[in-house]
């Protein structure tokens, strides 16, 4: 039973390019969460999704960032026109519909570096 | 909105000794979960221990235990018989009834041989 799969593990983009981060939730999990971690800081909530539905995007910057979780396939976090300040580790987590008593299951993260 | 505060940016412990990491939180809810996660240099977030707010008994997982003080909104982690492999960032987290998980800023634990 594979855990939460994130790819790529590392992503380098030039300023102005687009970054696409993928997350496949754990089998049986229907809820996906994206978090951003800046160096030496905690994880900051970005967005919470169910299949084909955004539940809460209160942590997502209003511009350049978008997320989706289609009926088929992984969840995608998309960052358009990346800037140096977007450099961070982006973590995806998943949970069963009812949340589960074990918190979330996290992926290994994607480290985005903007050069 | 809930907030989670870890007041110790860094802690150090001698191998085989005991260390306690502090965490406080702010909430107006009565039903919630609390967690401690470990993040080693590999970046993987590893669940260490969890506590349901409605349970008065403190959770224990082998060498890890918590001191949950609901009225004080305090949730500290005690690591007994510290091992070199315990060295990592530790994050306290709060989950509300709506599935939202909020993290503290983390405590870096160093273990001295």
């Amino acid at each position: 039973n594979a855990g939460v799969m994130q790819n790529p593990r590392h992503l380098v983009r030039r300023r102005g390019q687009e970054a696409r981060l993928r997350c496949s939730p754990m089998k049986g999990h229907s809820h996906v969460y994206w978090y951003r971690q800046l160096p030496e800081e905690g994880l900051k909530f970005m967005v919470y999704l169910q299949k084909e539905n955004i539940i809460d995007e209160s942590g997502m910057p209003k511009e350049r960032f978008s997320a989706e979780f289609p009926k088929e396939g992984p969840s995608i976090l998309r960052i358009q026109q990346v800037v140096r300040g977007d450099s961070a580790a982006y973590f995806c987590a998943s949970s069963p519909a009812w949340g589960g008593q074990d918190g979330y299951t996290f992926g290994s993260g994607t480290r985005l570096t903007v050069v | 909105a809930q907030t989670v505060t870890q007041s110790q940016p860094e802690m150090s412990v001698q191998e085989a000794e005991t260390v306690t990491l502090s965490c406080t939180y702010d909430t107006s809810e009565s039903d919630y979960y609390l967690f401690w996660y470990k993040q080693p240099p590999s970046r993987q977030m590893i669940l260490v221990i969890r506590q349901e707010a409605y349970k008065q008994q403190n959770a224990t997982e082998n060498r890890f235990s918590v001191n949950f003080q609901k009225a004080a909104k305090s949730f500290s982690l005690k690591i007994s018989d510290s091992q070199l492999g315990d060295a990592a960032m530790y994050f306290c987290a709060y989950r509300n009834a709506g599935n939202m998980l909020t993290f503290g800023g983390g405590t870096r634990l160093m273990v001295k041989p």
Side-chain angles (χ1 to χ4, degrees), chain A residues 2-43:
Chain A
V4 177
M5 304 301 293
Q6 285 190 252
N7 66 82
R9 182 96 164 119
H10 301 277
L11 182 62
V12 179
R13 285 288 178 266
R14 296 185 184 279
R15 280 178 294 171
Q17 290 184 320
E18 178 180 286
R20 279 180 169 252
L21 288 62
R22 294 176 182 76
C23 170
S24 295
M26 197 166 173
K27 188 176 181 180
H29 287 187
S30 57
H31 291 208
V32 165
Y33 314 81
W34 285 94
Y35 283 79
R36 176 164 64 177
Q37 184 179 32
L38 295 172
E40 304 302 318
E41 293 188 11
L43 280 70

Side-chain angles (χ1 to χ4, degrees), chain A residues 52-111:
Chain A
E52 300 183 284
N53 195 18
I54 296 175
I55 305 301
D56 188 327
E57 56 181 348
S58 58
M60 192 100 94
K62 293 290 185 284
E63 297 179 354
R64 302 188 298 109
F65 285 73
S66 63
E68 63 175 4
F69 188 16
K71 187 176 181 180
E72 300 292 336
S75 175
I76 306 287
L77 179 67
R78 183 182 176 204
I79 310 172
Q80 295 178 292
Q81 299 174 322
V82 296
V83 300
R84 289 238 169 95
D86 296 332
S87 295
Y90 290 83
F91 286 89
C92 171
S94 71
S95 75
W98 53 278
Q101 62 178 354
D102 286 338
Y104 304 165
T105 301
F106 279 86
S108 298
T110 293
R111 182 177 294 283

Side-chain angles (χ1 to χ4, degrees), chain B residues 15-77:
Chain B
E15 195 175 6
E17 296 293 308
T18 295
V19 65
T20 299
L21 309 184
S22 301
C23 173
T24 58
Y25 57 95
D26 186 25
T27 184
S28 57
E29 299 177 335
S30 59
D31 186 21
Y32 51 87
Y33 289 85
L34 295 164
F35 305 89
W36 279 96
Y37 283 89
K38 172 185 178 181
Q39 187 181 42
S42 66
R43 287 205 322 257
Q44 182 69 46
M45 294 292 286
I46 302 166
L47 178 65
V48 174
I49 199 166
R50 67 175 181 272
Q51 174 81 42
E52 294 92 332
Y54 62 86
K55 288 188 177 179
Q56 291 187 335
Q57 186 174 6
N58 289 323
T60 299
E61 288 287 341
N62 300 313
R63 297 183 296 107
F64 299 87
S65 61
V66 298
N67 183 6
F68 174 46
Q69 302 289 329
K70 191 171 184 179
K73 297 178 183 175
S74 170
F75 182 61
S76 60
L77 174 70

